[in-house]
Each structure stands twice: as C-alpha cells, then as structure tokens.
Amino acid sequence: MLNAATHYQVDYSDLSLVLALVRGGTLARAAALLRVDVSTVFRAVRRLEASLGQALFEKSRAGYLPTSVASTLAEQAERAEQALEAARIGVELGAEVISGTVRLTCTDSVLQGILLPALAQFMPNYPALTLELSTSNDFANLSRRDADIALRLTNTPPEHLVGRRLGTVSYRVCASAGYRQQHATQEWAALAWIAPDDFLPDHPTVAWRRQHLPGVTPSYRCNSMLSATELVRAGLGVAALPDFLLGEKHGLQPLGPALAGYDTALWLLTRPDCRALRSVVTLFDELGRHVRLPGHSL
C-alpha cells in the first residue's frame, strides 16, 4: 500500500490528521476538528505525503478528496478511535466493556415499529458498541456477510442461519379516521387500495388480497410497508398493515379483525460464524430480551 522505500512509520497523530480531513473535506473543517489553524493542517498533510512518498488527497472544487490510501488510513483511524474510546469507558466504569461494530438489517417498518423501542431500552448501556443499521427486504445481507444480525418477518427462515422466533405478527385492513368515516357505507372492493409492489410479491397481505378480493387493482403500490402505512395515514386509501404499526399514535383504525391464516413469524437471525463474536452475541441476546410485539409477553 505504502512506498516501502520511505520506511516511514505512521503514528496515531498521522491517522488523526487523515481522518479529520476525510471527515471534514476541507482544510478549514479539518482544522476545526483538530482544534488547530488551517496552515498547521496544510503543512502537516504536505509533510505526511512527503514522508510516505505519495499523495493522500486530490484537491478539487469540492475540497480535498481522499485517495484509496487515505481512505484505508481513515478506516484504521476510526478503529483506533473506537478502541481508545472503549478503553476510556472501561477505565471510567471499572468494568469489562463490550465494544466493536455490529451490522444489523431489517425492513424499515420493523425498524420503526419494533426495533427502535427495543434499542432505546438497552443501547445506552453499551456506549462503546457501534451499531450499523440497514433496511432491506431480503436475506442476502446475511448470506453475503453484509450484516451480522437480521430481524425478519418470515415463516420459513433460511436453514443456513440460526436464531430465535420472537413472536407472531398479524395483519388488519386499516384506514385513517377521515377515510373510514367518508367511505363507511362502501364495500371493501370499492375502496382505494394501497399495497406492496412487485418487490414483495409473496407478502402475506398480497396473498390475502388476491384470494379474497381478486378483482381489486391497487390504486397505489409501495416498495415498503412503512410507505404504505404513510399513504393510509394521509387518507389516500386502505391497506392491510402489520399490527405493530397500528394504534392511536399512528392515527390508523382497523376496519375488521386480523386476517385469519396470514400471520407471519418474527425471527431474530444471525450467521453461525458470528456466534464467536462477543459484540454480536451481546446484541443478539439483548434484542431477544427486549423486542416486544403487540399482544406478546416475551
């Protein structure tokens, strides 16, 4: 990666300098992060590049753009920063600290309705633990090793993953209070329907609608249940939504009972190789203890 002829040994101050300029993008913002003046940052960068025998940044109208070498150094600097923070917290607390980065994936609706309330209960107890969240509708994240833990709504979790079944999610046809009052006398088939698009062809609400309302063509199609929920909240129509997105705080009203026979299980999943990582095991166990579904006491 670096010019071996220089024999220069990169130290923590060098990493801090590179990380500040990568984060700031300009000399002025990097100087503010490092609490020094702009000329000091400029001279330090020039000196480091000369010592390494190669450029770390490209000057452009947008600011300082990192080369691949600078990006790699910045990643190492972030790891060092996290390690130092974990050590500091450990000294302050006088206890063993769980640290590291855990990548978690779920759908946006599960994030809003289920995951966030759980995280709020225990994440403050792990100040050295970094959580990277991504929203996705498939299992490829874990299969490609892009994620360590997944919260998924499915009745058939992949066999190559391991985990726990946390409960059952039901679905109900819902509308906003205004839409329900305005269309109180109409049959369900005559209402404006909001539904998942072809990205979720096997969603249980799609299967239910095709069986019970085969003549209905949705007026709106969404690539996520959270988006469908927002359209219902706006009074644009009705949709079959998961029960964890209902309730007074969401401003939605069910038009009938849960859709019988179309429940979905909520699974907490990980890869077998992740069970050796303390950070992943800790987060996995905490989620298992704190995730709650409507009508369930786990």
Side-chain angles (χ1 to χ4, degrees), residues 74-92:
E75 291 176 2
Q76 298 295 335
E78 287 187 326
R79 294 192 183 98
E81 188 178 65
Q82 292 171 0
L84 284 174
E85 179 66 8
R88 182 189 65 78
I89 293 171
V91 170
E92 290 180 357

Side-chain angles (χ1 to χ4, degrees), residues 164-221:
R164 294 175 51 187
R165 187 180 186 277
L166 298 182
T168 301
V169 172
S170 299
Y171 299 86
R172 299 171 188 269
V173 176
C174 302
S176 67
Y179 190 92
R180 180 181 184 180
Q181 183 177 6
Q182 184 179 358
H183 300 275
T185 61
Q186 287 185 278
E187 297 292 330
W188 281 9
L191 302 176
W193 281 82
I194 301 161
D197 63 14
D198 293 339
F199 191 70
L200 298 168
D202 300 320
H203 197 274
T205 63
V206 174
W208 173 85
R209 193 189 71 250
R210 287 173 176 168
Q211 180 174 351
H212 294 274
L213 299 171
V216 167
T217 299
S219 301
Y220 304 90
R221 295 184 185 273

Side-chain angles (χ1 to χ4, degrees), residues 135-191:
T135 53
S136 169
N137 289 304
D138 57 45
F139 289 100
N141 301 73
L142 273 83
S143 301
R144 294 195 308 263
R145 299 177 181 268
D146 292 337
D148 306 309
I149 295 176
L151 272 173
R152 286 289 184 245
L153 290 169
T154 180
N155 289 322
T156 55
E159 294 183 359
H160 66 280
L161 301 179
V162 295
R164 294 175 51 187
R165 187 180 186 277
L166 298 182
T168 301
V169 172
S170 299
Y171 299 86
R172 299 171 188 269
V173 176
C174 302
S176 67
Y179 190 92
R180 180 181 184 180
Q181 183 177 6
Q182 184 179 358
H183 300 275
T185 61
Q186 287 185 278
E187 297 292 330
W188 281 9
L191 302 176

Side-chain angles (χ1 to χ4, degrees), residues 110 114-115 118 149-154 163-169 264-269 284-294 296-298:
V110 169
I114 299 175
L115 179 59
I149 295 176
L151 272 173
R152 286 289 184 245
L153 290 169
T154 180
R164 294 175 51 187
R165 187 180 186 277
L166 298 182
T168 301
V169 172
T264 306
L266 176 66
W267 283 86
L268 177 63
L269 300 164
F284 189 94
D285 290 343
E286 290 285 17
L287 288 171
R289 283 191 289 267
H290 290 92
V291 166
R292 295 291 183 271
L293 290 171
H296 289 265
S297 179
L298 300 177

